[in-house]
Amino acid sequence: MSTDPEIDPETDPNVDPEIDRASWGARMDAGSTTSDRLPRRWRNALRPIFTTEHRVIGIEYLVLSLVAVAAGTVLSLVMRIHLVWPELAVPFFGQVKPEDYLALVTMHGTLMVFFVLTTAPLSGFANLVVPEQLGASRMALPTLNAVSFWMTAGALLILLAAFAVPQGAPISGWTSYPPLSAVAAAGPGQALGMDLWLASLTVFCLASWLGSLNLLATILNERCEGMTLMRLPLTVWSWLVASLLVLISFSVLLAALLLLFSDRHYGTSFFIPAGDLVAGHVRSRGDGSPLLWLHLFWFFGHPEVYIAVLPGMGITSSLLANFSRRPIAGYPMMAMTTVLIGLLGLVVWGHHMFVSGMNPYAGTAFALTTMAIAVPSTAKVLSWLATIWGGGLRLTTPMLFSLGFVSLFIAGGLTGPVLAQPALDAYLHNTYFVVAHFHLIMAMAGVFSIFAGVYYWFPLMTGRLMNGTLGKLHFWITLIAAYGAFFPMHFAGLAGEPRHYSQLSGTTPLLENLLPLQRGITFSAVILASAQLIFLANLLWSIMRGEVAPPNPWQATTLEWAPSMARIVKTSTSGLDPSASKFHQNIACRAPYEYGLRPNGLDFIMQCDPNTKAE
Amino acid sequence: MKFNLVTIFVLFLLAQILLILPIFRRRPRDQQPRIWLAESLPLLLFGAVYVWMAMTAQRLWADDRYEGPSLTAMQVEVVGVQFQWYFRYPGEDATFGSTRPELVNAAAGNPLGLDLRDSEGDDDIVSSELVLPVGREVDLRLRAHDVIHGFFIPGMRLKENAVPGLTLHVHFTPETAGTYPILCTQVCGLGHGHMQARLRVLPAAEFADWLQAREGKRRAEEAAIKGGV
Ligand SMILES: [Cu+2]
């Protein structure tokens, strides 16, 4: 899997490091044509794929997420259409049976949470830029990193295979509560489909673990000289905290998955209570507790939300500062709140369980910790607003998506303190109100930060810029359709509509009355999904024909945009020759967001710039 | 709830306006925002709001769940089974008869697995709709046979999971006569969306009639079974 270091231009000491970053993508393409011998050509063709080069791995993660998000979106459209036109045979799918609907819910949630919202912002972008942002030459554990990617890809294939097995995909939702998930007879898809789900997530857990280990080691050990913790870009802070959360929470999920697997195949009863009667047979051999799964799952599941959204916060902070041409308002507090959100995120899991049968006193405790997490979140929003307030905004596409992130984060975040109140949650739990809440704050805000990142770092991947006109069109349609799809769900939830219902007609008037509202939501969802075709078109067009990017197209201060490709491994100060280039990527001389200070007519100073003084 | 919703909607609009306004300013301001004005002060205000919210929420929750029902509350058992709700009334002796999962046989008229050797179960009534009298507190004991179900009466703002292996209690007092849907809110298998029942809240006299009628029906069935034997 690892490549031969002797022919790898990235690490070859004889290759001139002073190569314009913009040409990097082009070199990657051209690499395979230099040789005329067939085996070597094959090797060269495969090299970019089975590489330990962190940026390529980053791109591979992003491509994987793109595949997963496309699949997850199609599944959600089938659900949306079936919900409001239950009689309609969906094209390429046919009539949707109730179990099909639940299988769609399960696979949609699993794909989106794990393979899109965890993979793209954490693994994808971190691999793309972390070493450069740290001034490091490479990842700490590059082989492990590559293994991690290929395991993630394997996990995705295993998951998708669940559609192809007899009885199809599992139907117990992405949370897979037992005994429904523990007993194969509990429903269609709960036999082999459920096993595949478990296998996929087990592999995903291990992969994320390895990936995070590498990220942590890199961030803690590979920082260049001068890159103190308080000079880290906020993106790095968020990846640091998210990686820590992965280590802590995914290990608990892994344990839970193994226990569940053991319940299913080895006759244990961790999660199956005594006398549990499914489809006419008593299934338990001991006396386990379904609530144990809920605790283990949500101990993972809640930090998972922060794993998904913290990187988005980091990206947004960086981009808002850049495109407002102002330093972050309150950098130390932003770093601190990132850590605080991570820590508090570990002790709020019980707010998913207020009505699960958990002791009501425990409900109180979790309500208080959950309310506490609103404080650092509010601090972040205030800092973003203060950063753009009074800035001269450059409304580029990545900036628009960052502003969209803040807007959606606020929209989804404000319902958080409502749901944190157990007495109110007792009504709203598992209704569309919750669906609206987490789709706005996690899914939509998360996806907006991914878009912001892709538009922003596209030059690092391809040497080109994405088309701005198409980008803006994409942004505005997506923003309006996102609100159109998810905002009205609050009203369905307030009216009492539960999640996971495959159809509303033929039930009670309480739900049938909501059909017009749900039709509107489906309409918006179709527009939302269609608008992504603009993004795809832009992506394909820009890869081939996009405007060639200058070395630092956004006039950014962080080191991934440093004008030289200088990669000097852990040099001491004495080993540096300052005359080699004006900037040295491997020394950080200042804070990460020095914008708008106007020294010598420039309105930004790069972190590696030793000479310029702020006025 | 209404207060909460209005507050967050106002904050939503305010925040969106703050977000949009800077877009229209082309010329950047030179001075930095004063951090205490932009962040610390609003943060303190928000912090106070959160503390207040947490306190009121606590009071509501404690009233609702900390204490059990009064001793005179009516007892009804709710059992969730894929994909059906059953409601059991303890009858005249006010005691539920024991049940065993091995005895469950819905086709033979014993969906809850009542143990016929237990005389306390002789007067138990099993219904597929929940019928309650107006103004009397009811103590529901929630159980499930197979998987986790979510017992939800939107009209009563009441939700609690029915978890196999656990017996959970919730209590409330219906105040307005009428018919209310009962839904399942925890995905429980392919029939989840249709796992629905009705709550009928009746004036006290009508409720007594209903109960009596059900008891008569039960006795008739019992006599039929015994006659058959
Ligand atoms: Cu159910």
Side-chain angles (χ1 to χ4, degrees):
Chain A
M1 222 167 268
S2 128
T3 54
D4 184 354
E6 274 183 16
I7 53 163
D8 188 344
E10 297 303 327
T11 51
D12 190 341
N14 299 320
V15 173
D16 181 12
E18 293 288 317
I19 301 166
D20 189 6
R21 177 173 301 278
S23 67
W24 179 76
R27 280 190 301 120
M28 203 177 75
D29 297 338
S32 59
T33 58
T34 50
S35 166
D36 51 359
R37 279 183 298 157
L38 191 68
R40 186 168 175 140
R41 183 180 294 172
W42 274 92
R43 231 164 90 193
N44 282 344
L46 285 176
R47 190 199 304 156
I49 300 174
F50 290 102
T51 181
T52 54
E53 222 293 324
H54 61 88
R55 275 167 304 183
V56 182
I57 293 178
I59 294 170
E60 286 171 339
Y61 269 119
L62 291 174
V63 171
L64 181 122
S65 291
L66 192 64
V67 172
V69 81
T73 305
V74 170
L75 301 185
S76 70
L77 285 182
V78 177
M79 284 190 282
R80 286 305 323 173
I81 290 169
H82 174 73
L83 182 67
V84 297
W85 292 294
E87 314 303 328
L88 191 77
V90 180
F92 307 111
F93 196 93
Q95 192 67 46
V96 180
K97 298 193 285 292
E99 60 268 35
D100 296 339
Y101 186 86
L102 291 177
L104 291 169
V105 173
T106 307
M107 298 293 270
H108 167 80
T110 311
L111 279 170
M112 293 303 202
V113 169
F114 292 98
F115 294 93
V116 180
L117 293 171
T118 308
T119 300
L122 181 58
S123 315
F125 290 138
N127 271 298
L128 197 63
V129 297
V130 148
E132 277 75 14
Q133 286 199 336
L134 295 170
S137 61
R138 49 167 224 152
M139 286 288 192
L141 309 159
T143 310
L144 205 67
N145 197 27
V147 171
S148 161
F149 169 76
W150 288 105
M151 283 173 71
T152 309
L156 179 62
L157 287 180
I158 298 173
L159 183 71
L160 291 175
F163 275 122
V165 299
Q167 291 196 348
I171 62 169
S172 44
W174 84 282
T175 58
S176 285
Y177 284 2
L180 181 58
S181 59
V183 179
Q190 295 310 92
L192 191 51
M194 187 68 210
D195 282 329
L196 285 172
W197 186 90
L198 281 173
S200 165
L201 287 200
T202 305
V203 176
F204 187 89
C205 265
L206 291 169
S208 305
W209 234 76
L210 298 182
S212 297
L213 217 54
N214 168 48
L215 262 184
L216 271 179
T218 306
I219 294 172
L220 295 178
N221 289 333
E222 303 285 320
R223 278 171 291 142
C224 69
E225 255 187 79
M227 184 58 84
T228 59
L229 286 179
M230 291 317 269
R231 282 180 183 169
L232 287 180
L234 288 170
T235 42
V236 179
W237 268 109
S238 62
W239 286 319
L240 176 69
V241 175
S243 306
L244 269 171
L245 290 180
V246 167
L247 285 192
I248 297 169
S249 65
F250 273 72
S251 28
V252 173
L253 176 66
L254 185 62
L257 293 170
L258 295 178
L259 295 185
L260 186 56
F261 189 82
S262 162
D263 269 7
R264 292 168 59 81
H265 295 291
Y266 303 126
T268 56
S269 280
F270 290 104
F271 305 122
I272 312 176
D276 193 50
L277 184 82
V278 182
H281 294 277
V282 174
R283 307 283 171 176
S284 45
R285 300 186 196 176
D287 190 10
S289 165
L291 272 188
L292 173 63
W293 169 269
L294 269 70
H295 279 292
L296 294 175
F297 184 86
W298 287 117
F299 181 85
F300 145 78
H302 198 83
E304 164 63 31
V305 172
Y306 293 107
I307 293 167
V309 86
L310 274 173
M313 292 175 167
I315 293 169
T316 301
S317 301
S318 283
L319 268 59
L320 289 182
N322 180 328
F323 294 107
S324 311
R325 313 312 288 169
R326 291 161 72 82
I328 289 281
Y331 171 90
M333 196 176 70
M334 281 303 244
M336 205 179 69
T337 49
T338 303
V339 176
L340 205 60
I341 288 176
L343 288 179
L344 284 171
L346 288 169
V347 292
V348 299
W349 77 90
H351 68 213
H352 297 267
M353 298 170 62
F354 289 141
V355 296
S356 68
M358 187 175 67
N359 186 314
Y361 295 106
T364 297
F366 284 116
L368 294 179
T369 52
T370 306
M371 210 53 105
I373 215 169
V375 176
S377 310
T378 310
K380 279 205 181 294
V381 172
L382 290 171
S383 166
W384 291 328
L385 291 176
T387 302
I388 60 168
W389 190 251
L393 302 196
R394 296 178 177 173
L395 293 178
T396 58
T397 317
M399 177 59 163
L400 287 175
F401 275 99
S402 295
L403 290 170
F405 173 92
V406 179
S407 169
L408 292 159
F409 185 81
I410 294 168
L414 279 168
T415 47
V418 175
L419 290 167
Q421 303 176 43
L424 302 186
D425 186 64
Y427 180 71
L428 297 169
H429 178 78
N430 266 355
T431 66
Y432 266 81
F433 195 87
V434 177
V435 179
H437 166 72
F438 73 77
H439 272 95
L440 284 171
I441 197 165
M442 182 164 89
M444 283 302 107
V447 162
F448 269 57
S449 70
I450 297 173
F451 281 135
V454 170
Y455 282 105
Y456 181 74
W457 283 310
F458 193 75
L460 288 187
M461 296 186 253
T462 62
R464 295 173 188 275
L465 287 162
M466 286 184 77
N467 183 293
T469 316
L470 284 176
K472 278 166 195 146
L473 189 69
H474 172 223
F475 168 76
W476 285 109
I477 302 179
T478 305
L479 183 77
I480 293 166
Y483 271 112
F486 297 111
F487 202 79
M489 286 187 185
H490 290 112
F491 302 111
L494 288 169
E497 185 185 345
R499 299 163 68 180
H500 301 135
Y501 275 27
S502 64
Q503 70 181 72
L504 300 175
S505 46
T507 56
T508 92
L510 171 82
L511 300 180
E512 278 173 351
N513 291 342
L514 293 169
L515 263 172
L517 182 76
Q518 290 288 8
R519 281 203 193 97
I521 294 174
T522 297
F523 183 68
S524 297
V526 171
I527 295 177
L528 181 59
S530 316
Q532 306 321 308
L533 296 176
I534 303 174
F535 173 73
L536 279 183
N538 193 350
L539 203 61
L540 292 177
W541 186 85
S542 300
I543 287 173
M544 292 179 291
R545 296 274 161 82
E547 188 192 329
V548 173
N552 184 0
W554 314 113
Q555 299 179 297
T557 54
T558 44
L559 292 180
E560 78 271 30
W561 300 105
S564 82
M565 283 279 278
R567 1 182 90 253
I568 306 164
V569 187
K570 287 229 167 192
T571 33
S572 61
T573 3
S574 56
L576 266 174
D577 177 12
S579 63
S581 110
K582 190 185 164 214
F583 296 137
H584 272 287
Q585 198 183 335
N586 63 327
I587 286 193
C589 304
R590 56 187 71 248
Y593 301 110
E594 302 221 333
Y595 288 109
L597 303 168
R598 296 189 205 156
N600 315 333
L602 279 173
D603 75 341
F604 71 105
I605 317 172
M606 288 199 97
Q607 271 192 287
C608 52
D609 184 341
N611 305 317
T612 319
K613 292 254 184 319
E615 272 177 8
Chain B
M1 174 80 115
K2 194 172 277 176
F3 179 79
N4 269 286
L5 291 176
V6 171
T7 311
I8 62 169
F9 192 68
V10 170
L11 284 173
F12 170 72
L13 289 181
L14 188 73
Q16 302 294 347
I17 290 167
L18 282 176
L19 193 57
I20 290 164
L21 273 185
I23 293 176
F24 298 105
R25 180 171 28 232
R26 286 293 166 198
R27 223 166 46 82
R29 276 193 205 161
D30 282 343
Q31 102 236 42
Q32 293 287 304
R34 269 164 300 177
I35 203 79
W36 66 268
L37 194 67
E39 283 200 63
S40 308
L41 199 66
L43 194 59
L44 271 178
L45 285 176
F46 273 103
V49 172
Y50 295 143
V51 169
W52 179 81
M53 278 170 116
M55 275 161 49
T56 51
Q58 243 3 86
R59 206 161 301 161
L60 269 174
W61 180 243
D63 285 349
D64 203 25
R65 298 286 170 103
Y66 275 17
E67 283 178 34
S70 75
L71 292 173
T72 56
M74 194 170 92
Q75 305 286 311
V76 182
E77 182 182 68
V78 179
V79 182
V81 180
Q82 285 182 330
F83 302 100
Q84 168 89 44
W85 293 108
Y86 291 105
F87 305 94
R88 179 154 69 122
Y89 295 76
E92 282 151 359
D93 64 354
T95 311
F96 292 107
S98 55
T99 57
R100 285 197 290 141
E102 299 80 21
L103 301 175
V104 168
N105 191 342
N110 191 3
L112 299 187
L114 278 166
D115 190 344
L116 297 178
R117 291 170 306 179
D118 180 3
S119 60
E120 280 176 342
D122 284 355
D123 59 350
D124 286 9
I125 297 166
V126 179
S127 162
S128 59
E129 65 172 356
L130 178 59
V131 183
L132 296 175
V134 172
R136 173 148 181 223
E137 189 177 32
V138 55
D139 172 23
L140 296 179
R141 56 176 229 166
L142 292 164
R143 296 199 301 121
H145 275 173
D146 38 31
V147 302
I148 303 178
H149 299 276
F151 183 74
F152 182 31
I153 315 178
M156 297 290 148
R157 307 285 183 265
L158 180 91
K159 185 182 292 146
E160 181 78 2
N161 278 2
V163 184
L166 293 179
T167 304
L168 301 167
H169 286 262
V170 280
H171 57 99
F172 69 105
T173 310
E175 276 162 2
T176 314
T179 305
Y180 304 88
I182 293 173
L183 310 172
C184 180
T185 52
Q186 183 60 57
V187 64
C188 60
L190 65 92
H192 168 60
H194 285 276
M195 183 163 162
Q196 297 175 359
R198 275 191 313 175
L199 160 65
R200 276 200 297 143
V201 179
L202 302 175
E206 279 179 48
F207 175 75
D209 291 346
W210 176 83
L211 203 61
Q212 215 165 23
R214 288 305 304 244
E215 250 156 36
K217 193 175 156 215
R218 186 191 55 74
R219 279 199 202 96
E221 278 166 8
E222 201 177 66
I225 291 170
K226 279 187 182 142
V229 171

